[in-house]
């Protein structure tokens, strides 16, 4: 069966409590069992920082009502190496649901979650004038 591809026009949403719940209740156990590094990430802390510090933003992408990917950006601190006067959006953390990872699930449930989040990070950078 062919995996659906996430539509790149599906703009990620600001992380909400339901996205954190999906990570904690659905993803974390699977990730721990598979010894995946991101099982230990605290998305609640990342969300809290994005609420309290204007430099950070947290996004989620959903498909059929379920969180499929999460991304945490730093938007105001990093500078590009070629020209340090130019800012850039820095992807601090990016993860996709275990069932979307080809190394864990073949074929994955969805393809393109990480690519869609990275494209959004690029678009966010442009929207900030970087």
């Amino acid at each position: 069966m062919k995996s659906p591809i996430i539509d790149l026009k599906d703009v990620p949403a600001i992380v909400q409590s339901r996205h954190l719940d999906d990570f904690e209740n659905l993803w974390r156990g699977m990730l721990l069992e598979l010894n995946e590094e991101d099982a230990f990430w605290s998305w609640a802390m990342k969300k809290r920082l994005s609420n309290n510090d204007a430099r950070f933003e947290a996004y989620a992408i959903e498909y059929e009502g379920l969180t499929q990917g999460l991304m945490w950006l730093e938007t105001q601190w990093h500078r590009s190496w070629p020209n340090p006067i130019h800012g850039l959006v820095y992807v601090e953390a990016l993860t996709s649901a275990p069932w979307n990872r080809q190394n864990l699930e073949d074929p994955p449930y969805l393809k393109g979650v990480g690519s869609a989040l990275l494209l959004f990070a690029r678009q966010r950078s442009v929207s900030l004038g970087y």
Side-chain angles (χ1 to χ4, degrees):
M1 184 168 103
K2 191 173 179 183
S3 301
I5 298 174
I6 200 79
D7 193 334
L8 295 179
K9 70 176 175 33
D10 291 330
V11 176
I14 300 291
V15 168
Q16 304 294 318
S17 60
R18 70 180 180 277
H19 303 124
L20 301 176
D21 290 345
D22 284 351
F23 181 83
E24 290 299 327
N25 300 324
L26 300 174
W27 298 25
R28 188 179 300 278
M30 296 169 79
L31 295 171
L32 285 168
E33 205 171 291
L34 297 163
N35 202 30
E36 293 290 309
E37 179 182 330
D38 53 338
F40 303 99
W41 294 357
S42 174
W43 283 95
M45 183 267 313
K46 291 173 183 3
K47 171 64 176 158
R48 202 169 31 258
L49 276 171
S50 69
N51 284 343
N52 297 322
D53 187 331
R55 293 178 301 158
F56 297 105
E57 299 175 1
Y59 294 95
I61 195 159
E62 294 180 25
Y63 180 77
E64 296 183 344
L66 190 60
T67 307
Q68 302 295 333
L70 296 164
M71 180 172 60
W72 189 46
L73 304 176
E74 186 176 351
T75 60
Q76 298 177 25
W77 199 252
H78 280 82
R79 301 284 174 230
S80 73
W81 285 103
N83 189 344
I85 64 166
H86 296 292
L88 57 87
V89 167
Y90 187 81
V91 178
E92 291 279 352
L94 186 147
T95 186
S96 89
W99 49 84
N100 295 328
R101 302 176 190 195
Q102 190 155 359
N103 65 322
L104 302 178
E105 191 72 32
D106 193 17
Y109 176 65
L110 287 177
K111 287 186 176 183
V113 173
S115 297
L117 288 167
L118 287 173
L119 177 62
F120 177 79
R122 183 184 180 284
Q123 292 168 338
R124 183 70 180 114
S125 187
V126 170
S127 76
L128 291 169
Y130 300 156

